[in-house]
Amino acid sequence: MWWNTSVEDFRREIRAFADTVVAPAADRMDASGAFEPELMAQMRQRNLLSMLCPKEYGGPGSDTLTYAVAVEELSRVCGSTGITVAAANSLGVYPVSSFGTSKQRQDVLPGVARNGAIIAFGLTEPGAGSDASGTKTTAVREGDSWVLNGGKCFITNPHFAEWIIATAVTRPGQGARGISSFLLHKDTPGFSVGKKENKMGLRGSDTATLHFDGVKLPLDAMLGPEGEGFKQFMKTLDGGRISIGAMALGLAQGSLEVAARYVLENKRLGGDQGDHQSVQFKLADMATQVEAARHLVYNSAHLKDTGRPFAKQSAMAKLYASEVGRFCAEQAMKIMGIDGFTAAGRVERHFRDVKLCEIGEGTSEIQRIVISRYVLKEFETVVEATAAATHDPQMAHVN
């Protein structure tokens, strides 16, 4: 089993926090469209915003599995809280700790560990969503500085962020090889956070645009070597897919629990809903798919923690868990009828929230492309090995 006693002890701890502190705030944040600062402060106190910050900088240095459990349990009661923690860690802490220079890590990560400082990740643009290589934001070298101009959209946590990571084109005409990453402080002149998005789901999550209007940065603000930005965010998204898979898993589990409680309450009041085969089948399918999604998510986290390739598995986990999350919310609404369609039922919020899981960190279509490429590459190796072993030249051309 990938998870052990320590992980289950942590799960009980984070579940208690989710049930007693996060859950009561979830509906309020969904209605107001804003994340509550008081809840953000409590998450900082519990180091939830810095789970992936390395111990050498004062952080918890949590493994991926423990972190995934945190995102799962928080999302079980509030998707907005789950994605807030997920983005702060996998899209914020990870790129700095993995690609930053020694100075950048020292400038940023101790503050993350000590104060829960948030790093926002600026990648998506109006014309560069699924095709992030179409980045239009530019960074032009002027003497001893880089000057950034452009904008980003649908960015998570920007109003709470202390630091920003932004991708920009530094080598025009070179496509993905011409994109670089930069690290800047929120108070840098020319940088601003713009319009807050009015979203269908995850309404409590802070989502807004970023604007770069002649932002002047020193040369050492570049995150890693020039032209490596595309590779960096592809690696970042590989890990981010574990986060989104865990978030979808939590939302699926939450929908299952609400539906099961609803059936039990119906029985307590003298109803016979639980005796209906159609309801029993729905609950059985939900429970089975949730468990399968959990294995996929936990396995991808385990592979990452043990230093093995995990990109295919994280894409599978994200794809499957996000679609299971939608399925479970739909089935719960069917079981609950009109009660599932109202805010009091909670699953209508899950239904709205989980849709982002089929979009963020690459749409379901993108995941299928990623997975198929790995599958074909693996079988190409098998075919070539078979051809060499059998001395069959025709086998070498099978693809």
Short mmCIF file of all heavy atoms in Angstrom, two decimals, residues 243-305:
data_model
loop_
_atom_site.label_atom_id
_atom_site.label_comp_id
_atom_site.label_asym_id
_atom_site.label_seq_id
_atom_site.Cartn_x
_atom_site.Cartn_y
_atom_site.Cartn_z
N SER A 243 -2.04 17.49 -8.42
CA SER A 243 -2.83 18.38 -7.57
C SER A 243 -4.28 18.45 -8.03
O SER A 243 -5.21 18.36 -7.22
CB SER A 243 -2.23 19.79 -7.59
OG SER A 243 -0.89 19.80 -7.18
N ILE A 244 -4.48 18.64 -9.34
CA ILE A 244 -5.85 18.74 -9.86
C ILE A 244 -6.56 17.40 -9.72
O ILE A 244 -7.76 17.34 -9.43
CB ILE A 244 -5.84 19.21 -11.32
CG1 ILE A 244 -5.24 20.62 -11.42
CG2 ILE A 244 -7.25 19.20 -11.89
CD1 ILE A 244 -6.04 21.69 -10.71
N GLY A 245 -5.82 16.30 -9.92
CA GLY A 245 -6.42 14.99 -9.71
C GLY A 245 -6.87 14.82 -8.27
O GLY A 245 -7.96 14.29 -8.00
N ALA A 246 -6.04 15.27 -7.32
CA ALA A 246 -6.40 15.17 -5.90
C ALA A 246 -7.59 16.05 -5.57
O ALA A 246 -8.47 15.68 -4.78
CB ALA A 246 -5.19 15.57 -5.04
N MET A 247 -7.64 17.21 -6.19
CA MET A 247 -8.77 18.12 -5.99
C MET A 247 -10.07 17.50 -6.50
O MET A 247 -11.10 17.50 -5.81
CB MET A 247 -8.48 19.43 -6.71
CG MET A 247 -9.58 20.45 -6.63
SD MET A 247 -9.10 21.90 -7.60
CE MET A 247 -10.72 22.64 -7.86
N ALA A 248 -10.03 16.93 -7.71
CA ALA A 248 -11.20 16.28 -8.28
C ALA A 248 -11.61 15.08 -7.44
O ALA A 248 -12.81 14.82 -7.24
CB ALA A 248 -10.91 15.85 -9.71
N LEU A 249 -10.63 14.34 -6.94
CA LEU A 249 -10.90 13.20 -6.07
C LEU A 249 -11.65 13.64 -4.82
O LEU A 249 -12.62 13.00 -4.40
CB LEU A 249 -9.58 12.51 -5.70
CG LEU A 249 -9.62 11.43 -4.64
CD1 LEU A 249 -10.53 10.28 -5.08
CD2 LEU A 249 -8.21 10.92 -4.35
N GLY A 250 -11.20 14.73 -4.22
CA GLY A 250 -11.87 15.25 -3.03
C GLY A 250 -13.30 15.66 -3.31
O GLY A 250 -14.22 15.39 -2.52
N LEU A 251 -13.52 16.34 -4.44
CA LEU A 251 -14.87 16.75 -4.81
C LEU A 251 -15.75 15.53 -5.06
O LEU A 251 -16.94 15.51 -4.70
CB LEU A 251 -14.82 17.64 -6.04
CG LEU A 251 -14.29 19.06 -5.80
CD1 LEU A 251 -13.89 19.72 -7.11
CD2 LEU A 251 -15.33 19.90 -5.07
N ALA A 252 -15.20 14.49 -5.69
CA ALA A 252 -15.95 13.26 -5.93
C ALA A 252 -16.32 12.59 -4.61
O ALA A 252 -17.47 12.16 -4.41
CB ALA A 252 -15.12 12.31 -6.79
N GLN A 253 -15.35 12.52 -3.69
CA GLN A 253 -15.61 11.93 -2.38
C GLN A 253 -16.68 12.72 -1.64
O GLN A 253 -17.57 12.15 -1.00
CB GLN A 253 -14.32 11.89 -1.57
CG GLN A 253 -14.47 11.32 -0.16
CD GLN A 253 -14.75 9.84 -0.16
OE1 GLN A 253 -14.16 9.09 -0.92
NE2 GLN A 253 -15.65 9.40 0.72
N GLY A 254 -16.59 14.04 -1.73
CA GLY A 254 -17.58 14.89 -1.07
C GLY A 254 -18.98 14.64 -1.61
O GLY A 254 -19.95 14.57 -0.84
N SER A 255 -19.11 14.50 -2.92
CA SER A 255 -20.43 14.24 -3.52
C SER A 255 -20.97 12.89 -3.08
O SER A 255 -22.17 12.74 -2.80
CB SER A 255 -20.32 14.30 -5.04
OG SER A 255 -20.00 15.60 -5.49
N LEU A 256 -20.08 11.89 -3.03
CA LEU A 256 -20.50 10.56 -2.59
C LEU A 256 -21.00 10.61 -1.15
O LEU A 256 -22.05 10.02 -0.82
CB LEU A 256 -19.33 9.59 -2.71
CG LEU A 256 -19.52 8.19 -2.11
CD1 LEU A 256 -20.68 7.47 -2.76
CD2 LEU A 256 -18.23 7.38 -2.26
N GLU A 257 -20.29 11.31 -0.29
CA GLU A 257 -20.68 11.38 1.12
C GLU A 257 -22.02 12.08 1.29
O GLU A 257 -22.86 11.65 2.08
CB GLU A 257 -19.59 12.09 1.92
CG GLU A 257 -18.31 11.27 2.04
CD GLU A 257 -17.21 12.01 2.80
OE1 GLU A 257 -17.50 13.10 3.35
OE2 GLU A 257 -16.08 11.50 2.85
N VAL A 258 -22.22 13.18 0.57
CA VAL A 258 -23.48 13.91 0.67
C VAL A 258 -24.64 13.03 0.22
O VAL A 258 -25.70 12.99 0.85
CB VAL A 258 -23.42 15.21 -0.16
CG1 VAL A 258 -24.81 15.86 -0.23
CG2 VAL A 258 -22.43 16.20 0.44
N ALA A 259 -24.44 12.31 -0.89
CA ALA A 259 -25.50 11.45 -1.40
C ALA A 259 -25.82 10.32 -0.43
O ALA A 259 -27.00 10.00 -0.19
CB ALA A 259 -25.09 10.88 -2.75
N ALA A 260 -24.78 9.70 0.14
CA ALA A 260 -25.00 8.60 1.07
C ALA A 260 -25.73 9.09 2.32
O ALA A 260 -26.65 8.41 2.83
CB ALA A 260 -23.66 7.97 1.44
N ARG A 261 -25.33 10.24 2.83
CA ARG A 261 -26.02 10.80 4.01
C ARG A 261 -27.48 11.10 3.70
O ARG A 261 -28.37 10.92 4.54
CB ARG A 261 -25.30 12.06 4.49
CG ARG A 261 -23.94 11.80 5.13
CD ARG A 261 -23.45 13.02 5.89
NE ARG A 261 -22.11 12.83 6.39
CZ ARG A 261 -21.01 13.32 5.81
NH1 ARG A 261 -21.12 14.04 4.70
NH2 ARG A 261 -19.82 13.10 6.33
N TYR A 262 -27.73 11.58 2.50
CA TYR A 262 -29.10 11.91 2.09
C TYR A 262 -29.97 10.65 2.09
O TYR A 262 -31.11 10.66 2.58
CB TYR A 262 -29.08 12.54 0.70
CG TYR A 262 -30.43 13.05 0.23
CD1 TYR A 262 -30.86 14.32 0.58
CD2 TYR A 262 -31.25 12.24 -0.55
CE1 TYR A 262 -32.10 14.80 0.16
CE2 TYR A 262 -32.49 12.71 -0.98
CZ TYR A 262 -32.90 13.98 -0.63
OH TYR A 262 -34.13 14.44 -1.05
N VAL A 263 -29.43 9.56 1.57
CA VAL A 263 -30.18 8.30 1.53
C VAL A 263 -30.43 7.78 2.95
O VAL A 263 -31.53 7.31 3.28
CB VAL A 263 -29.41 7.25 0.70
CG1 VAL A 263 -30.07 5.87 0.82
CG2 VAL A 263 -29.35 7.67 -0.76
N LEU A 264 -29.43 7.88 3.81
CA LEU A 264 -29.58 7.42 5.19
C LEU A 264 -30.59 8.28 5.96
O LEU A 264 -31.37 7.76 6.76
CB LEU A 264 -28.23 7.44 5.91
CG LEU A 264 -27.22 6.39 5.43
CD1 LEU A 264 -25.85 6.63 6.06
CD2 LEU A 264 -27.72 4.98 5.75
N GLU A 265 -30.57 9.57 5.69
CA GLU A 265 -31.54 10.46 6.34
C GLU A 265 -32.96 10.13 5.87
O GLU A 265 -33.93 10.16 6.65
CB GLU A 265 -31.21 11.91 6.04
CG GLU A 265 -32.15 12.94 6.67
CD GLU A 265 -32.10 12.95 8.20
OE1 GLU A 265 -31.17 12.33 8.78
OE2 GLU A 265 -32.98 13.58 8.81
N ASN A 266 -33.09 9.81 4.58
CA ASN A 266 -34.39 9.41 4.04
C ASN A 266 -34.90 8.16 4.75
O ASN A 266 -36.09 8.06 5.10
CB ASN A 266 -34.26 9.15 2.54
CG ASN A 266 -35.52 8.58 1.92
OD1 ASN A 266 -35.66 7.36 1.81
ND2 ASN A 266 -36.45 9.44 1.52
N LYS A 267 -33.99 7.22 4.99
CA LYS A 267 -34.37 5.98 5.69
C LYS A 267 -34.77 6.27 7.13
O LYS A 267 -35.74 5.71 7.65
CB LYS A 267 -33.20 5.00 5.66
CG LYS A 267 -33.49 3.66 6.33
CD LYS A 267 -32.30 2.72 6.21
CE LYS A 267 -32.61 1.38 6.87
NZ LYS A 267 -31.47 0.43 6.76
N ARG A 268 -34.03 7.18 7.79
CA ARG A 268 -34.34 7.53 9.18
C ARG A 268 -35.73 8.12 9.30
O ARG A 268 -36.42 7.94 10.32
CB ARG A 268 -33.29 8.51 9.71
CG ARG A 268 -33.39 8.81 11.21
CD ARG A 268 -32.40 9.86 11.63
NE ARG A 268 -32.74 11.17 11.10
CZ ARG A 268 -33.66 11.97 11.64
NH1 ARG A 268 -34.34 11.59 12.72
NH2 ARG A 268 -33.90 13.15 11.12
N LEU A 269 -36.14 8.82 8.28
CA LEU A 269 -37.46 9.46 8.29
C LEU A 269 -38.56 8.54 7.77
O LEU A 269 -39.68 8.97 7.52
CB LEU A 269 -37.42 10.74 7.46
CG LEU A 269 -36.49 11.84 7.99
CD1 LEU A 269 -36.44 13.02 7.02
CD2 LEU A 269 -36.95 12.31 9.38
N GLY A 270 -38.22 7.26 7.56
CA GLY A 270 -39.22 6.29 7.15
C GLY A 270 -39.29 6.04 5.66
O GLY A 270 -40.16 5.27 5.20
N GLY A 271 -38.40 6.64 4.88
CA GLY A 271 -38.41 6.44 3.44
C GLY A 271 -37.74 5.13 3.04
O GLY A 271 -37.12 4.45 3.87
N ASP A 272 -37.85 4.79 1.77
CA ASP A 272 -37.25 3.54 1.30
C ASP A 272 -36.31 3.77 0.12
O ASP A 272 -36.05 2.86 -0.66
CB ASP A 272 -38.35 2.56 0.88
CG ASP A 272 -39.19 3.08 -0.28
OD1 ASP A 272 -39.05 4.27 -0.64
OD2 ASP A 272 -40.00 2.30 -0.82
N GLN A 273 -35.77 4.98 0.01
CA GLN A 273 -34.92 5.30 -1.13
C GLN A 273 -33.73 4.36 -1.24
O GLN A 273 -33.34 3.95 -2.33
CB GLN A 273 -34.43 6.76 -1.03
CG GLN A 273 -33.70 7.25 -2.28
CD GLN A 273 -33.18 8.67 -2.11
OE1 GLN A 273 -32.76 9.06 -1.04
NE2 GLN A 273 -33.18 9.43 -3.19
N GLY A 274 -33.15 4.00 -0.09
CA GLY A 274 -31.98 3.12 -0.10
C GLY A 274 -32.28 1.71 -0.57
O GLY A 274 -31.36 0.94 -0.86
N ASP A 275 -33.55 1.35 -0.64
CA ASP A 275 -33.93 0.02 -1.11
C ASP A 275 -34.12 -0.02 -2.62
O ASP A 275 -34.31 -1.11 -3.19
CB ASP A 275 -35.24 -0.43 -0.43
CG ASP A 275 -35.10 -0.55 1.08
OD1 ASP A 275 -33.99 -0.90 1.53
OD2 ASP A 275 -36.07 -0.29 1.80
N HIS A 276 -34.09 1.13 -3.26
CA HIS A 276 -34.28 1.18 -4.70
C HIS A 276 -32.99 0.78 -5.40
O HIS A 276 -31.91 1.33 -5.13
CB HIS A 276 -34.69 2.58 -5.14
CG HIS A 276 -36.05 2.98 -4.62
ND1 HIS A 276 -36.61 4.21 -4.88
CD2 HIS A 276 -36.95 2.32 -3.85
CE1 HIS A 276 -37.78 4.30 -4.30
NE2 HIS A 276 -38.01 3.16 -3.66
N GLN A 277 -33.08 -0.15 -6.31
CA GLN A 277 -31.89 -0.64 -6.99
C GLN A 277 -31.20 0.46 -7.78
O GLN A 277 -29.96 0.51 -7.85
CB GLN A 277 -32.27 -1.79 -7.93
CG GLN A 277 -31.08 -2.56 -8.46
CD GLN A 277 -31.50 -3.73 -9.32
OE1 GLN A 277 -31.94 -3.54 -10.45
NE2 GLN A 277 -31.38 -4.94 -8.79
N SER A 278 -31.98 1.37 -8.35
CA SER A 278 -31.38 2.45 -9.14
C SER A 278 -30.48 3.32 -8.27
O SER A 278 -29.41 3.77 -8.72
CB SER A 278 -32.47 3.30 -9.79
OG SER A 278 -33.28 3.91 -8.81
N VAL A 279 -30.88 3.55 -7.03
CA VAL A 279 -30.06 4.35 -6.10
C VAL A 279 -28.85 3.54 -5.66
O VAL A 279 -27.72 4.06 -5.59
CB VAL A 279 -30.90 4.79 -4.89
CG1 VAL A 279 -30.01 5.45 -3.84
CG2 VAL A 279 -32.00 5.75 -5.33
N GLN A 280 -29.06 2.29 -5.36
CA GLN A 280 -27.95 1.43 -4.93
C GLN A 280 -26.87 1.35 -6.02
O GLN A 280 -25.67 1.42 -5.72
CB GLN A 280 -28.47 0.02 -4.62
CG GLN A 280 -29.40 -0.04 -3.42
CD GLN A 280 -30.07 -1.40 -3.27
OE1 GLN A 280 -30.05 -2.22 -4.20
NE2 GLN A 280 -30.66 -1.64 -2.11
N PHE A 281 -27.30 1.22 -7.27
CA PHE A 281 -26.34 1.13 -8.37
C PHE A 281 -25.55 2.43 -8.51
O PHE A 281 -24.34 2.41 -8.78
CB PHE A 281 -27.06 0.81 -9.68
CG PHE A 281 -27.43 -0.65 -9.83
CD1 PHE A 281 -27.34 -1.53 -8.76
CD2 PHE A 281 -27.87 -1.14 -11.05
CE1 PHE A 281 -27.68 -2.86 -8.89
CE2 PHE A 281 -28.21 -2.48 -11.20
CZ PHE A 281 -28.12 -3.33 -10.12
N LYS A 282 -26.22 3.54 -8.34
CA LYS A 282 -25.53 4.84 -8.44
C LYS A 282 -24.46 4.96 -7.36
O LYS A 282 -23.32 5.36 -7.62
CB LYS A 282 -26.54 5.99 -8.34
CG LYS A 282 -27.37 6.23 -9.58
CD LYS A 282 -28.30 7.41 -9.39
CE LYS A 282 -29.06 7.74 -10.69
NZ LYS A 282 -29.93 6.64 -11.13
N LEU A 283 -24.83 4.61 -6.13
CA LEU A 283 -23.86 4.69 -5.04
C LEU A 283 -22.69 3.73 -5.26
O LEU A 283 -21.53 4.08 -5.00
CB LEU A 283 -24.55 4.37 -3.71
CG LEU A 283 -25.55 5.42 -3.19
CD1 LEU A 283 -26.29 4.88 -1.97
CD2 LEU A 283 -24.84 6.72 -2.85
N ALA A 284 -22.99 2.54 -5.76
CA ALA A 284 -21.93 1.56 -6.00
C ALA A 284 -20.97 2.04 -7.08
O ALA A 284 -19.74 1.92 -6.95
CB ALA A 284 -22.55 0.22 -6.40
N ASP A 285 -21.51 2.59 -8.16
CA ASP A 285 -20.66 3.10 -9.25
C ASP A 285 -19.82 4.27 -8.77
O ASP A 285 -18.63 4.38 -9.11
CB ASP A 285 -21.52 3.51 -10.44
CG ASP A 285 -22.11 2.33 -11.19
OD1 ASP A 285 -21.62 1.20 -10.99
OD2 ASP A 285 -23.06 2.53 -11.97
N MET A 286 -20.43 5.16 -7.99
CA MET A 286 -19.68 6.31 -7.47
C MET A 286 -18.53 5.84 -6.59
O MET A 286 -17.38 6.28 -6.76
CB MET A 286 -20.62 7.22 -6.67
CG MET A 286 -21.66 7.95 -7.51
SD MET A 286 -23.00 8.65 -6.50
CE MET A 286 -22.12 9.97 -5.64
N ALA A 287 -18.82 4.94 -5.66
CA ALA A 287 -17.80 4.48 -4.71
C ALA A 287 -16.66 3.76 -5.43
O ALA A 287 -15.48 3.95 -5.10
CB ALA A 287 -18.43 3.56 -3.67
N THR A 288 -17.01 2.95 -6.42
CA THR A 288 -15.99 2.21 -7.16
C THR A 288 -15.09 3.14 -7.95
O THR A 288 -13.85 3.00 -7.95
CB THR A 288 -16.65 1.20 -8.11
OG1 THR A 288 -17.44 0.28 -7.34
CG2 THR A 288 -15.61 0.41 -8.89
N GLN A 289 -15.69 4.11 -8.62
CA GLN A 289 -14.89 5.03 -9.42
C GLN A 289 -14.05 5.96 -8.55
O GLN A 289 -12.92 6.32 -8.92
CB GLN A 289 -15.80 5.82 -10.36
CG GLN A 289 -16.43 4.94 -11.43
CD GLN A 289 -17.18 5.73 -12.48
OE1 GLN A 289 -16.79 6.83 -12.86
NE2 GLN A 289 -18.28 5.16 -12.96
N VAL A 290 -14.57 6.35 -7.40
CA VAL A 290 -13.77 7.17 -6.48
C VAL A 290 -12.54 6.39 -6.03
O VAL A 290 -11.42 6.93 -5.98
CB VAL A 290 -14.61 7.61 -5.26
CG1 VAL A 290 -13.72 8.16 -4.14
CG2 VAL A 290 -15.63 8.66 -5.67
N GLU A 291 -12.73 5.12 -5.70
CA GLU A 291 -11.59 4.31 -5.25
C GLU A 291 -10.57 4.13 -6.35
O GLU A 291 -9.35 4.18 -6.12
CB GLU A 291 -12.08 2.95 -4.76
CG GLU A 291 -11.04 2.17 -3.97
CD GLU A 291 -10.67 2.81 -2.64
OE1 GLU A 291 -11.40 3.72 -2.18
OE2 GLU A 291 -9.64 2.42 -2.07
N ALA A 292 -11.04 3.92 -7.58
CA ALA A 292 -10.11 3.79 -8.71
C ALA A 292 -9.34 5.09 -8.94
O ALA A 292 -8.13 5.08 -9.19
CB ALA A 292 -10.89 3.41 -9.97
N ALA A 293 -10.03 6.21 -8.84
CA ALA A 293 -9.37 7.51 -9.00
C ALA A 293 -8.33 7.73 -7.90
O ALA A 293 -7.24 8.24 -8.15
CB ALA A 293 -10.41 8.63 -8.97
N ARG A 294 -8.67 7.29 -6.70
CA ARG A 294 -7.72 7.45 -5.59
C ARG A 294 -6.44 6.67 -5.85
O ARG A 294 -5.33 7.16 -5.60
CB ARG A 294 -8.38 7.00 -4.28
CG ARG A 294 -7.49 7.15 -3.06
CD ARG A 294 -8.26 6.98 -1.75
NE ARG A 294 -9.13 8.12 -1.50
CZ ARG A 294 -10.45 8.08 -1.48
NH1 ARG A 294 -11.08 6.93 -1.71
NH2 ARG A 294 -11.15 9.17 -1.24
N HIS A 295 -6.57 5.48 -6.37
CA HIS A 295 -5.38 4.68 -6.68
C HIS A 295 -4.53 5.37 -7.76
O HIS A 295 -3.30 5.38 -7.68
CB HIS A 295 -5.78 3.28 -7.14
CG HIS A 295 -6.08 2.35 -5.99
ND1 HIS A 295 -5.18 1.43 -5.52
CD2 HIS A 295 -7.18 2.22 -5.22
CE1 HIS A 295 -5.69 0.77 -4.50
NE2 HIS A 295 -6.91 1.22 -4.30
N LEU A 296 -5.16 5.93 -8.78
CA LEU A 296 -4.41 6.61 -9.83
C LEU A 296 -3.68 7.84 -9.29
O LEU A 296 -2.51 8.08 -9.60
CB LEU A 296 -5.35 7.01 -10.96
CG LEU A 296 -5.75 5.91 -11.95
CD1 LEU A 296 -6.88 6.40 -12.86
CD2 LEU A 296 -4.56 5.47 -12.78
N VAL A 297 -4.37 8.63 -8.49
CA VAL A 297 -3.76 9.84 -7.94
C VAL A 297 -2.62 9.49 -7.00
O VAL A 297 -1.51 10.04 -7.08
CB VAL A 297 -4.82 10.70 -7.21
CG1 VAL A 297 -4.15 11.86 -6.47
CG2 VAL A 297 -5.84 11.24 -8.21
N TYR A 298 -2.86 8.56 -6.09
CA TYR A 298 -1.84 8.19 -5.11
C TYR A 298 -0.64 7.52 -5.79
O TYR A 298 0.50 7.70 -5.37
CB TYR A 298 -2.42 7.25 -4.05
CG TYR A 298 -3.36 7.91 -3.06
CD1 TYR A 298 -3.86 9.20 -3.26
CD2 TYR A 298 -3.78 7.23 -1.91
CE1 TYR A 298 -4.72 9.79 -2.36
CE2 TYR A 298 -4.64 7.82 -1.00
CZ TYR A 298 -5.12 9.09 -1.23
OH TYR A 298 -5.97 9.67 -0.33
N ASN A 299 -0.90 6.73 -6.81
CA ASN A 299 0.20 6.08 -7.52
C ASN A 299 1.09 7.10 -8.20
O ASN A 299 2.33 7.00 -8.15
CB ASN A 299 -0.34 5.09 -8.54
CG ASN A 299 0.77 4.39 -9.31
OD1 ASN A 299 1.67 3.83 -8.72
ND2 ASN A 299 0.71 4.44 -10.63
N SER A 300 0.50 8.11 -8.85
CA SER A 300 1.32 9.12 -9.51
C SER A 300 2.12 9.91 -8.49
O SER A 300 3.29 10.25 -8.72
CB SER A 300 0.44 10.05 -10.36
OG SER A 300 -0.52 10.72 -9.58
N ALA A 301 1.53 10.17 -7.33
CA ALA A 301 2.26 10.86 -6.26
C ALA A 301 3.41 9.99 -5.75
O ALA A 301 4.53 10.48 -5.51
CB ALA A 301 1.32 11.21 -5.12
N HIS A 302 3.14 8.71 -5.60
CA HIS A 302 4.18 7.77 -5.13
C HIS A 302 5.34 7.70 -6.13
O HIS A 302 6.51 7.69 -5.72
CB HIS A 302 3.54 6.39 -4.95
CG HIS A 302 4.52 5.31 -4.61
ND1 HIS A 302 5.20 5.27 -3.41
CD2 HIS A 302 4.94 4.23 -5.33
CE1 HIS A 302 5.98 4.21 -3.39
NE2 HIS A 302 5.86 3.56 -4.54
N LEU A 303 5.02 7.64 -7.41
CA LEU A 303 6.08 7.60 -8.42
C LEU A 303 6.94 8.85 -8.35
O LEU A 303 8.17 8.79 -8.44
CB LEU A 303 5.46 7.46 -9.81
CG LEU A 303 4.80 6.11 -10.13
CD1 LEU A 303 4.09 6.17 -11.48
CD2 LEU A 303 5.82 4.98 -10.13
N LYS A 304 6.30 10.00 -8.20
CA LYS A 304 7.06 11.26 -8.11
C LYS A 304 7.95 11.26 -6.86
O LYS A 304 9.12 11.66 -6.91
CB LYS A 304 6.10 12.45 -8.08
CG LYS A 304 6.79 13.82 -8.15
CD LYS A 304 5.74 14.93 -8.27
CE LYS A 304 6.41 16.28 -8.53
NZ LYS A 304 7.21 16.76 -7.39
N ASP A 305 7.40 10.80 -5.76
CA ASP A 305 8.17 10.79 -4.50
C ASP A 305 9.36 9.85 -4.56
O ASP A 305 10.37 10.08 -3.88
CB ASP A 305 7.27 10.38 -3.33
CG ASP A 305 6.33 11.49 -2.90
OD1 ASP A 305 6.64 12.67 -3.14
OD2 ASP A 305 5.26 11.17 -2.33
#
